[in-house]
PDB file of all heavy atoms in Angstrom:
ATOM      1  N   GLN A   1       0.826  -1.187   0.000  1.00 48.00           N
ATOM      2  CA  GLN A   1       0.000   0.000   0.000  1.00 48.00           C
ATOM      3  C   GLN A   1       0.867   1.245   0.000  1.00 48.00           C
ATOM      4  O   GLN A   1       2.075   1.206   0.156  1.00 48.00           O
ATOM      5  CB  GLN A   1      -0.922  -0.041   1.223  1.00 48.00           C
ATOM      6  CG  GLN A   1      -1.845  -1.262   1.221  1.00 48.00           C
ATOM      7  CD  GLN A   1      -2.648  -1.364   2.497  1.00 48.00           C
ATOM      8  OE1 GLN A   1      -2.462  -0.573   3.421  1.00 48.00           O
ATOM      9  NE2 GLN A   1      -3.549  -2.331   2.553  1.00 48.00           N
ATOM     10  N   ALA A   2       0.201   2.377  -0.148  1.00 54.00           N
ATOM     11  CA  ALA A   2       0.929   3.642  -0.295  1.00 54.00           C
ATOM     12  C   ALA A   2       1.796   3.951   0.919  1.00 54.00           C
ATOM     13  O   ALA A   2       2.878   4.487   0.789  1.00 54.00           O
ATOM     14  CB  ALA A   2      -0.063   4.774  -0.530  1.00 54.00           C
ATOM     15  N   MET A   3       1.300   3.605   2.130  1.00 68.00           N
ATOM     16  CA  MET A   3       2.065   3.903   3.334  1.00 68.00           C
ATOM     17  C   MET A   3       2.358   2.632   4.116  1.00 68.00           C
ATOM     18  O   MET A   3       2.078   2.526   5.311  1.00 68.00           O
ATOM     19  CB  MET A   3       1.304   4.910   4.201  1.00 68.00           C
ATOM     20  CG  MET A   3       1.328   6.327   3.669  1.00 68.00           C
ATOM     21  SD  MET A   3       2.998   7.042   3.613  1.00 68.00           S
ATOM     22  CE  MET A   3       3.360   7.195   5.361  1.00 68.00           C
ATOM     23  N   ALA A   4       2.864   1.629   3.445  1.00 80.00           N
ATOM     24  CA  ALA A   4       3.202   0.374   4.113  1.00 80.00           C
ATOM     25  C   ALA A   4       4.360   0.609   5.077  1.00 80.00           C
ATOM     26  O   ALA A   4       5.221   1.457   4.852  1.00 80.00           O
ATOM     27  CB  ALA A   4       3.586  -0.672   3.080  1.00 80.00           C
ATOM     28  N   LYS A   5       4.361  -0.165   6.166  1.00 92.00           N
ATOM     29  CA  LYS A   5       5.469  -0.081   7.113  1.00 92.00           C
ATOM     30  C   LYS A   5       6.503  -1.129   6.759  1.00 92.00           C
ATOM     31  O   LYS A   5       6.179  -2.308   6.569  1.00 92.00           O
ATOM     32  CB  LYS A   5       4.978  -0.288   8.551  1.00 92.00           C
ATOM     33  CG  LYS A   5       6.103  -0.105   9.576  1.00 92.00           C
ATOM     34  CD  LYS A   5       5.585  -0.107  10.997  1.00 92.00           C
ATOM     35  CE  LYS A   5       6.739   0.150  11.969  1.00 92.00           C
ATOM     36  NZ  LYS A   5       6.275   0.160  13.379  1.00 92.00           N
ATOM     37  N   ILE A   6       7.745  -0.718   6.656  1.00 96.00           N
ATOM     38  CA  ILE A   6       8.831  -1.605   6.245  1.00 96.00           C
ATOM     39  C   ILE A   6       9.970  -1.532   7.259  1.00 96.00           C
ATOM     40  O   ILE A   6      10.473  -0.441   7.566  1.00 96.00           O
ATOM     41  CB  ILE A   6       9.351  -1.217   4.854  1.00 96.00           C
ATOM     42  CG1 ILE A   6       8.221  -1.320   3.813  1.00 96.00           C
ATOM     43  CG2 ILE A   6      10.542  -2.095   4.457  1.00 96.00           C
ATOM     44  CD1 ILE A   6       8.584  -0.750   2.461  1.00 96.00           C
ATOM     45  N   SER A   7      10.356  -2.696   7.789  1.00 97.00           N
ATOM     46  CA  SER A   7      11.508  -2.769   8.684  1.00 97.00           C
ATOM     47  C   SER A   7      12.730  -3.183   7.872  1.00 97.00           C
ATOM     48  O   SER A   7      12.706  -4.210   7.191  1.00 97.00           O
ATOM     49  CB  SER A   7      11.273  -3.790   9.797  1.00 97.00           C
ATOM     50  OG  SER A   7      10.284  -3.363  10.700  1.00 97.00           O
ATOM     51  N   ILE A   8      13.773  -2.375   7.940  1.00 98.00           N
ATOM     52  CA  ILE A   8      15.035  -2.697   7.272  1.00 98.00           C
ATOM     53  C   ILE A   8      15.968  -3.271   8.330  1.00 98.00           C
ATOM     54  O   ILE A   8      16.383  -2.572   9.253  1.00 98.00           O
ATOM     55  CB  ILE A   8      15.648  -1.453   6.609  1.00 98.00           C
ATOM     56  CG1 ILE A   8      14.694  -0.895   5.559  1.00 98.00           C
ATOM     57  CG2 ILE A   8      17.003  -1.793   5.985  1.00 98.00           C
ATOM     58  CD1 ILE A   8      15.167   0.387   4.916  1.00 98.00           C
ATOM     59  N   VAL A   9      16.271  -4.559   8.207  1.00 98.00           N
ATOM     60  CA  VAL A   9      17.044  -5.266   9.224  1.00 98.00           C
ATOM     61  C   VAL A   9      18.485  -5.443   8.759  1.00 98.00           C
ATOM     62  O   VAL A   9      18.742  -5.959   7.665  1.00 98.00           O
ATOM     63  CB  VAL A   9      16.416  -6.641   9.535  1.00 98.00           C
ATOM     64  CG1 VAL A   9      17.229  -7.352  10.619  1.00 98.00           C
ATOM     65  CG2 VAL A   9      14.959  -6.477   9.969  1.00 98.00           C
ATOM     66  N   VAL A  10      19.416  -5.017   9.619  1.00 98.00           N
ATOM     67  CA  VAL A  10      20.840  -5.100   9.303  1.00 98.00           C
ATOM     68  C   VAL A  10      21.535  -5.927  10.386  1.00 98.00           C
ATOM     69  O   VAL A  10      21.797  -5.435  11.480  1.00 98.00           O
ATOM     70  CB  VAL A  10      21.488  -3.704   9.232  1.00 98.00           C
ATOM     71  CG1 VAL A  10      22.923  -3.807   8.715  1.00 98.00           C
ATOM     72  CG2 VAL A  10      20.669  -2.746   8.383  1.00 98.00           C
ATOM     73  N   PRO A  11      21.817  -7.216  10.117  1.00 97.00           N
ATOM     74  CA  PRO A  11      22.571  -8.014  11.092  1.00 97.00           C
ATOM     75  C   PRO A  11      24.039  -7.590  11.086  1.00 97.00           C
ATOM     76  O   PRO A  11      24.630  -7.409  10.019  1.00 97.00           O
ATOM     77  CB  PRO A  11      22.387  -9.445  10.588  1.00 97.00           C
ATOM     78  CG  PRO A  11      22.124  -9.303   9.130  1.00 97.00           C
ATOM     79  CD  PRO A  11      21.431  -7.988   8.927  1.00 97.00           C
ATOM     80  N   VAL A  12      24.615  -7.438  12.268  1.00 96.00           N
ATOM     81  CA  VAL A  12      25.973  -6.874  12.356  1.00 96.00           C
ATOM     82  C   VAL A  12      26.834  -7.687  13.327  1.00 96.00           C
ATOM     83  O   VAL A  12      26.423  -7.948  14.461  1.00 96.00           O
ATOM     84  CB  VAL A  12      25.931  -5.411  12.843  1.00 96.00           C
ATOM     85  CG1 VAL A  12      27.317  -4.810  12.812  1.00 96.00           C
ATOM     86  CG2 VAL A  12      24.974  -4.580  12.003  1.00 96.00           C
ATOM     87  N   PHE A  13      28.011  -8.078  12.871  1.00 96.00           N
ATOM     88  CA  PHE A  13      28.977  -8.727  13.750  1.00 96.00           C
ATOM     89  C   PHE A  13      30.383  -8.276  13.361  1.00 96.00           C
ATOM     90  O   PHE A  13      30.879  -8.573  12.287  1.00 96.00           O
ATOM     91  CB  PHE A  13      28.876 -10.255  13.656  1.00 96.00           C
ATOM     92  CG  PHE A  13      29.908 -10.976  14.476  1.00 96.00           C
ATOM     93  CD1 PHE A  13      29.910 -10.856  15.862  1.00 96.00           C
ATOM     94  CD2 PHE A  13      30.894 -11.747  13.876  1.00 96.00           C
ATOM     95  CE1 PHE A  13      30.865 -11.510  16.636  1.00 96.00           C
ATOM     96  CE2 PHE A  13      31.855 -12.407  14.627  1.00 96.00           C
ATOM     97  CZ  PHE A  13      31.837 -12.288  16.017  1.00 96.00           C
ATOM     98  N   ASN A  14      31.008  -7.508  14.244  1.00 94.00           N
ATOM     99  CA  ASN A  14      32.368  -7.001  14.040  1.00 94.00           C
ATOM    100  C   ASN A  14      32.522  -6.308  12.687  1.00 94.00           C
ATOM    101  O   ASN A  14      33.361  -6.685  11.862  1.00 94.00           O
ATOM    102  CB  ASN A  14      33.384  -8.139  14.168  1.00 94.00           C
ATOM    103  CG  ASN A  14      33.549  -8.618  15.606  1.00 94.00           C
ATOM    104  OD1 ASN A  14      33.078  -7.974  16.554  1.00 94.00           O
ATOM    105  ND2 ASN A  14      34.205  -9.737  15.793  1.00 94.00           N
ATOM    106  N   GLU A  15      31.700  -5.292  12.471  1.00 95.00           N
ATOM    107  CA  GLU A  15      31.725  -4.549  11.205  1.00 95.00           C
ATOM    108  C   GLU A  15      32.118  -3.086  11.437  1.00 95.00           C
ATOM    109  O   GLU A  15      31.566  -2.178  10.824  1.00 95.00           O
ATOM    110  CB  GLU A  15      30.352  -4.610  10.519  1.00 95.00           C
ATOM    111  CG  GLU A  15      29.838  -5.997  10.231  1.00 95.00           C
ATOM    112  CD  GLU A  15      30.628  -6.710   9.147  1.00 95.00           C
ATOM    113  OE1 GLU A  15      31.574  -6.116   8.611  1.00 95.00           O
ATOM    114  OE2 GLU A  15      30.303  -7.875   8.863  1.00 95.00           O
ATOM    115  N   GLU A  16      33.099  -2.843  12.304  1.00 95.00           N
ATOM    116  CA  GLU A  16      33.478  -1.474  12.645  1.00 95.00           C
ATOM    117  C   GLU A  16      33.984  -0.688  11.432  1.00 95.00           C
ATOM    118  O   GLU A  16      33.859   0.536  11.388  1.00 95.00           O
ATOM    119  CB  GLU A  16      34.549  -1.471  13.743  1.00 95.00           C
ATOM    120  CG  GLU A  16      35.819  -2.218  13.373  1.00 95.00           C
ATOM    121  CD  GLU A  16      36.826  -2.272  14.510  1.00 95.00           C
ATOM    122  OE1 GLU A  16      36.520  -1.743  15.600  1.00 95.00           O
ATOM    123  OE2 GLU A  16      37.922  -2.843  14.316  1.00 95.00           O
ATOM    124  N   GLU A  17      34.507  -1.379  10.435  1.00 93.00           N
ATOM    125  CA  GLU A  17      35.054  -0.696   9.265  1.00 93.00           C
ATOM    126  C   GLU A  17      33.975  -0.251   8.280  1.00 93.00           C
ATOM    127  O   GLU A  17      34.199   0.664   7.493  1.00 93.00           O
ATOM    128  CB  GLU A  17      36.050  -1.605   8.529  1.00 93.00           C
ATOM    129  CG  GLU A  17      37.273  -1.992   9.329  1.00 93.00           C
ATOM    130  CD  GLU A  17      38.200  -2.903   8.537  1.00 93.00           C
ATOM    131  OE1 GLU A  17      38.323  -2.684   7.312  1.00 93.00           O
ATOM    132  OE2 GLU A  17      38.781  -3.823   9.126  1.00 93.00           O
ATOM    133  N   ALA A  18      32.816  -0.890   8.338  1.00 94.00           N
ATOM    134  CA  ALA A  18      31.827  -0.658   7.278  1.00 94.00           C
ATOM    135  C   ALA A  18      30.457  -0.203   7.747  1.00 94.00           C
ATOM    136  O   ALA A  18      29.701   0.374   6.958  1.00 94.00           O
ATOM    137  CB  ALA A  18      31.658  -1.943   6.457  1.00 94.00           C
ATOM    138  N   ILE A  19      30.107  -0.423   9.001  1.00 96.00           N
ATOM    139  CA  ILE A  19      28.715  -0.272   9.415  1.00 96.00           C
ATOM    140  C   ILE A  19      28.192   1.162   9.291  1.00 96.00           C
ATOM    141  O   ILE A  19      27.054   1.384   8.879  1.00 96.00           O
ATOM    142  CB  ILE A  19      28.504  -0.804  10.859  1.00 96.00           C
ATOM    143  CG1 ILE A  19      27.016  -0.826  11.190  1.00 96.00           C
ATOM    144  CG2 ILE A  19      29.308  -0.001  11.865  1.00 96.00           C
ATOM    145  CD1 ILE A  19      26.172  -1.662  10.273  1.00 96.00           C
ATOM    146  N   LYS A  20      29.019   2.146   9.609  1.00 96.00           N
ATOM    147  CA  LYS A  20      28.568   3.539   9.509  1.00 96.00           C
ATOM    148  C   LYS A  20      28.221   3.881   8.066  1.00 96.00           C
ATOM    149  O   LYS A  20      27.155   4.460   7.779  1.00 96.00           O
ATOM    150  CB  LYS A  20      29.655   4.480  10.030  1.00 96.00           C
ATOM    151  CG  LYS A  20      29.309   5.974   9.955  1.00 96.00           C
ATOM    152  CD  LYS A  20      28.178   6.335  10.886  1.00 96.00           C
ATOM    153  CE  LYS A  20      28.069   7.852  11.071  1.00 96.00           C
ATOM    154  NZ  LYS A  20      27.861   8.609   9.830  1.00 96.00           N
ATOM    155  N   GLY A  21      29.089   3.527   7.139  1.00 96.00           N
ATOM    156  CA  GLY A  21      28.835   3.802   5.726  1.00 96.00           C
ATOM    157  C   GLY A  21      27.647   3.034   5.203  1.00 96.00           C
ATOM    158  O   GLY A  21      26.876   3.544   4.383  1.00 96.00           O
ATOM    159  N   ALA A  22      27.479   1.784   5.683  1.00 96.00           N
ATOM    160  CA  ALA A  22      26.359   0.964   5.226  1.00 96.00           C
ATOM    161  C   ALA A  22      25.019   1.578   5.640  1.00 96.00           C
ATOM    162  O   ALA A  22      24.085   1.664   4.826  1.00 96.00           O
ATOM    163  CB  ALA A  22      26.485  -0.452   5.788  1.00 96.00           C
ATOM    164  N   ILE A  23      24.915   2.017   6.874  1.00 97.00           N
ATOM    165  CA  ILE A  23      23.658   2.606   7.346  1.00 97.00           C
ATOM    166  C   ILE A  23      23.421   3.975   6.712  1.00 97.00           C
ATOM    167  O   ILE A  23      22.283   4.323   6.366  1.00 97.00           O
ATOM    168  CB  ILE A  23      23.643   2.686   8.884  1.00 97.00           C
ATOM    169  CG1 ILE A  23      23.565   1.269   9.454  1.00 97.00           C
ATOM    170  CG2 ILE A  23      22.470   3.530   9.378  1.00 97.00           C
ATOM    171  CD1 ILE A  23      23.505   1.180  10.948  1.00 97.00           C
ATOM    172  N   ASP A  24      24.477   4.746   6.513  1.00 97.00           N
ATOM    173  CA  ASP A  24      24.334   6.024   5.802  1.00 97.00           C
ATOM    174  C   ASP A  24      23.807   5.783   4.388  1.00 97.00           C
ATOM    175  O   ASP A  24      22.962   6.540   3.883  1.00 97.00           O
ATOM    176  CB  ASP A  24      25.679   6.759   5.734  1.00 97.00           C
ATOM    177  CG  ASP A  24      26.066   7.386   7.071  1.00 97.00           C
ATOM    178  OD1 ASP A  24      25.179   7.508   7.945  1.00 97.00           O
ATOM    179  OD2 ASP A  24      27.248   7.739   7.228  1.00 97.00           O
ATOM    180  N   GLY A  25      24.301   4.741   3.739  1.00 97.00           N
ATOM    181  CA  GLY A  25      23.832   4.407   2.399  1.00 97.00           C
ATOM    182  C   GLY A  25      22.360   4.034   2.394  1.00 97.00           C
ATOM    183  O   GLY A  25      21.614   4.407   1.481  1.00 97.00           O
ATOM    184  N   ILE A  26      21.923   3.304   3.408  1.00 97.00           N
ATOM    185  CA  ILE A  26      20.510   2.941   3.520  1.00 97.00           C
ATOM    186  C   ILE A  26      19.651   4.188   3.690  1.00 97.00           C
ATOM    187  O   ILE A  26      18.623   4.350   3.013  1.00 97.00           O
ATOM    188  CB  ILE A  26      20.291   1.977   4.712  1.00 97.00           C
ATOM    189  CG1 ILE A  26      20.991   0.643   4.449  1.00 97.00           C
ATOM    190  CG2 ILE A  26      18.792   1.757   4.958  1.00 97.00           C
ATOM    191  CD1 ILE A  26      21.041  -0.271   5.648  1.00 97.00           C
ATOM    192  N   LYS A  27      20.076   5.067   4.577  1.00 97.00           N
ATOM    193  CA  LYS A  27      19.314   6.305   4.812  1.00 97.00           C
ATOM    194  C   LYS A  27      19.211   7.141   3.544  1.00 97.00           C
ATOM    195  O   LYS A  27      18.141   7.688   3.233  1.00 97.00           O
ATOM    196  CB  LYS A  27      19.979   7.121   5.934  1.00 97.00           C
ATOM    197  CG  LYS A  27      19.807   6.518   7.321  1.00 97.00           C
ATOM    198  CD  LYS A  27      20.445   7.431   8.372  1.00 97.00           C
ATOM    199  CE  LYS A  27      20.199   6.919   9.777  1.00 97.00           C
ATOM    200  NZ  LYS A  27      20.813   7.805  10.792  1.00 97.00           N
ATOM    201  N   ASN A  28      20.303   7.252   2.811  1.00 96.00           N
ATOM    202  CA  ASN A  28      20.282   8.031   1.568  1.00 96.00           C
ATOM    203  C   ASN A  28      19.340   7.423   0.533  1.00 96.00           C
ATOM    204  O   ASN A  28      18.679   8.148  -0.220  1.00 96.00           O
ATOM    205  CB  ASN A  28      21.698   8.121   0.986  1.00 96.00           C
ATOM    206  CG  ASN A  28      22.608   9.016   1.804  1.00 96.00           C
ATOM    207  OD1 ASN A  28      22.147   9.941   2.482  1.00 96.00           O
ATOM    208  ND2 ASN A  28      23.900   8.747   1.768  1.00 96.00           N
ATOM    209  N   SER A  29      19.255   6.100   0.509  1.00 96.00           N
ATOM    210  CA  SER A  29      18.400   5.434  -0.474  1.00 96.00           C
ATOM    211  C   SER A  29      16.915   5.645  -0.182  1.00 96.00           C
ATOM    212  O   SER A  29      16.079   5.493  -1.078  1.00 96.00           O
ATOM    213  CB  SER A  29      18.700   3.932  -0.505  1.00 96.00           C
ATOM    214  OG  SER A  29      18.192   3.287   0.649  1.00 96.00           O
ATOM    215  N   LEU A  30      16.586   5.988   1.051  1.00 95.00           N
ATOM    216  CA  LEU A  30      15.180   6.141   1.448  1.00 95.00           C
ATOM    217  C   LEU A  30      14.648   7.553   1.246  1.00 95.00           C
ATOM    218  O   LEU A  30      13.440   7.791   1.393  1.00 95.00           O
ATOM    219  CB  LEU A  30      15.005   5.750   2.924  1.00 95.00           C
ATOM    220  CG  LEU A  30      15.452   4.334   3.314  1.00 95.00           C
ATOM    221  CD1 LEU A  30      15.238   4.106   4.796  1.00 95.00           C
ATOM    222  CD2 LEU A  30      14.702   3.292   2.489  1.00 95.00           C
ATOM    223  N   LYS A  31      15.529   8.473   0.917  1.00 93.00           N
ATOM    224  CA  LYS A  31      15.102   9.868   0.739  1.00 93.00           C
ATOM    225  C   LYS A  31      14.096   9.990  -0.410  1.00 93.00           C
ATOM    226  O   LYS A  31      14.320   9.485  -1.499  1.00 93.00           O
ATOM    227  CB  LYS A  31      16.314  10.759   0.465  1.00 93.00           C
ATOM    228  CG  LYS A  31      17.228  10.925   1.675  1.00 93.00           C
ATOM    229  CD  LYS A  31      18.430  11.798   1.347  1.00 93.00           C
ATOM    230  CE  LYS A  31      19.331  11.965   2.585  1.00 93.00           C
ATOM    231  NZ  LYS A  31      20.528  12.787   2.264  1.00 93.00           N
ATOM    232  N   GLY A  32      12.990  10.639  -0.138  1.00 88.00           N
ATOM    233  CA  GLY A  32      11.969  10.848  -1.157  1.00 88.00           C
ATOM    234  C   GLY A  32      10.930   9.753  -1.235  1.00 88.00           C
ATOM    235  O   GLY A  32       9.939   9.896  -1.946  1.00 88.00           O
ATOM    236  N   LEU A  33      11.141   8.650  -0.513  1.00 91.00           N
ATOM    237  CA  LEU A  33      10.164   7.564  -0.511  1.00 91.00           C
ATOM    238  C   LEU A  33       9.079   7.838   0.529  1.00 91.00           C
ATOM    239  O   LEU A  33       9.344   8.402   1.584  1.00 91.00           O
ATOM    240  CB  LEU A  33      10.855   6.224  -0.220  1.00 91.00           C
ATOM    241  CG  LEU A  33      11.943   5.807  -1.207  1.00 91.00           C
ATOM    242  CD1 LEU A  33      12.540   4.468  -0.811  1.00 91.00           C
ATOM    243  CD2 LEU A  33      11.385   5.730  -2.625  1.00 91.00           C
ATOM    244  N   LYS A  34       7.855   7.414   0.237  1.00 85.00           N
ATOM    245  CA  LYS A  34       6.716   7.772   1.078  1.00 85.00           C
ATOM    246  C   LYS A  34       6.361   6.750   2.148  1.00 85.00           C
ATOM    247  O   LYS A  34       5.562   7.048   3.034  1.00 85.00           O
ATOM    248  CB  LYS A  34       5.484   8.014   0.189  1.00 85.00           C
ATOM    249  CG  LYS A  34       5.642   9.172  -0.781  1.00 85.00           C
ATOM    250  CD  LYS A  34       4.400   9.333  -1.640  1.00 85.00           C
ATOM    251  CE  LYS A  34       4.551  10.501  -2.607  1.00 85.00           C
ATOM    252  NZ  LYS A  34       3.342  10.667  -3.455  1.00 85.00           N
ATOM    253  N   ASP A  35       6.917   5.570   2.078  1.00 86.00           N
ATOM    254  CA  ASP A  35       6.540   4.524   3.025  1.00 86.00           C
ATOM    255  C   ASP A  35       7.130   4.791   4.413  1.00 86.00           C
ATOM    256  O   ASP A  35       8.038   5.615   4.582  1.00 86.00           O
ATOM    257  CB  ASP A  35       6.985   3.162   2.506  1.00 86.00           C
ATOM    258  CG  ASP A  35       6.296   2.800   1.206  1.00 86.00           C
ATOM    259  OD1 ASP A  35       5.060   2.686   1.206  1.00 86.00           O
ATOM    260  OD2 ASP A  35       6.986   2.662   0.179  1.00 86.00           O
ATOM    261  N   ASP A  36       6.612   4.073   5.389  1.00 92.00           N
ATOM    262  CA  ASP A  36       7.038   4.217   6.781  1.00 92.00           C
ATOM    263  C   ASP A  36       8.173   3.226   7.043  1.00 92.00           C
ATOM    264  O   ASP A  36       7.953   2.024   7.100  1.00 92.00           O
ATOM    265  CB  ASP A  36       5.842   3.940   7.702  1.00 92.00           C
ATOM    266  CG  ASP A  36       6.205   4.086   9.177  1.00 92.00           C
ATOM    267  OD1 ASP A  36       7.286   4.649   9.466  1.00 92.00           O
ATOM    268  OD2 ASP A  36       5.415   3.628  10.020  1.00 92.00           O
ATOM    269  N   PHE A  37       9.394   3.754   7.185  1.00 95.00           N
ATOM    270  CA  PHE A  37      10.558   2.902   7.349  1.00 95.00           C
ATOM    271  C   PHE A  37      11.116   2.962   8.769  1.00 95.00           C
ATOM    272  O   PHE A  37      11.042   4.001   9.425  1.00 95.00           O
ATOM    273  CB  PHE A  37      11.683   3.327   6.383  1.00 95.00           C
ATOM    274  CG  PHE A  37      11.342   3.153   4.932  1.00 95.00           C
ATOM    275  CD1 PHE A  37      10.884   4.226   4.186  1.00 95.00           C
ATOM    276  CD2 PHE A  37      11.498   1.924   4.310  1.00 95.00           C
ATOM    277  CE1 PHE A  37      10.576   4.088   2.847  1.00 95.00           C
ATOM    278  CE2 PHE A  37      11.201   1.769   2.965  1.00 95.00           C
ATOM    279  CZ  PHE A  37      10.744   2.848   2.234  1.00 95.00           C
ATOM    280  N   GLU A  38      11.682   1.837   9.203  1.00 96.00           N
ATOM    281  CA  GLU A  38      12.504   1.810  10.412  1.00 96.00           C
ATOM    282  C   GLU A  38      13.735   0.967  10.110  1.00 96.00           C
ATOM    283  O   GLU A  38      13.654  -0.026   9.386  1.00 96.00           O
ATOM    284  CB  GLU A  38      11.739   1.230  11.607  1.00 96.00           C
ATOM    285  CG  GLU A  38      11.368  -0.236  11.474  1.00 96.00           C
ATOM    286  CD  GLU A  38      10.799  -0.828  12.765  1.00 96.00           C
ATOM    287  OE1 GLU A  38      10.833  -0.120  13.791  1.00 96.00           O
ATOM    288  OE2 GLU A  38      10.333  -1.985  12.727  1.00 96.00           O
ATOM    289  N   ILE A  39      14.862   1.394  10.623  1.00 97.00           N
ATOM    290  CA  ILE A  39      16.111   0.652  10.435  1.00 97.00           C
ATOM    291  C   ILE A  39      16.445  -0.045  11.745  1.00 97.00           C
ATOM    292  O   ILE A  39      16.587   0.608  12.787  1.00 97.00           O
ATOM    293  CB  ILE A  39      17.263   1.579  10.010  1.00 97.00           C
ATOM    294  CG1 ILE A  39      16.928   2.265   8.681  1.00 97.00           C
ATOM    295  CG2 ILE A  39      18.569   0.788   9.883  1.00 97.00           C
ATOM    296  CD1 ILE A  39      17.951   3.303   8.253  1.00 97.00           C
ATOM    297  N   ILE A  40      16.547  -1.370  11.693  1.00 98.00           N
ATOM    298  CA  ILE A  40      16.865  -2.161  12.876  1.00 98.00           C
ATOM    299  C   ILE A  40      18.240  -2.797  12.691  1.00 98.00           C
ATOM    300  O   ILE A  40      18.435  -3.632  11.806  1.00 98.00           O
ATOM    301  CB  ILE A  40      15.825  -3.276  13.110  1.00 98.00           C
ATOM    302  CG1 ILE A  40      14.413  -2.690  13.198  1.00 98.00           C
ATOM    303  CG2 ILE A  40      16.159  -4.069  14.371  1.00 98.00           C
ATOM    304  CD1 ILE A  40      13.321  -3.756  13.307  1.00 98.00           C
ATOM    305  N   ALA A  41      19.199  -2.386  13.518  1.00 98.00           N
ATOM    306  CA  ALA A  41      20.533  -2.980  13.492  1.00 98.00           C
ATOM    307  C   ALA A  41      20.630  -3.986  14.629  1.00 98.00           C
ATOM    308  O   ALA A  41      20.376  -3.646  15.791  1.00 98.00           O
ATOM    309  CB  ALA A  41      21.603  -1.903  13.636  1.00 98.00           C
TER     310      ALA A  41
END
């Protein structure tokens, strides 16, 4: 539906080198989208 709720799940284990960039990339990809998002790490 137009305002579906979507959980974005990111499993993380010892990812200190990449996790900040990975989540920033997810946030950037969601810009302009109308659905209800939550990011769960």
Side-chain angles (χ1 to χ4, degrees):
Q1 300 174 356
M3 286 297 292
K5 184 172 183 180
I6 300 171
S7 291
I8 299 176
V9 181
V10 188
V12 185
F13 176 64
N14 288 348
E15 303 291 0
E16 59 184 1
E17 297 179 37
I19 188 59
K20 179 67 166 58
I23 291 182
D24 285 344
I26 294 170
K27 288 183 176 180
N28 289 333
S29 73
L30 303 179
K31 291 179 179 178
L33 300 180
K34 297 179 180 180
D35 297 298
D36 181 14
F37 295 98
E38 66 171 353
I39 300 174
I40 304 175

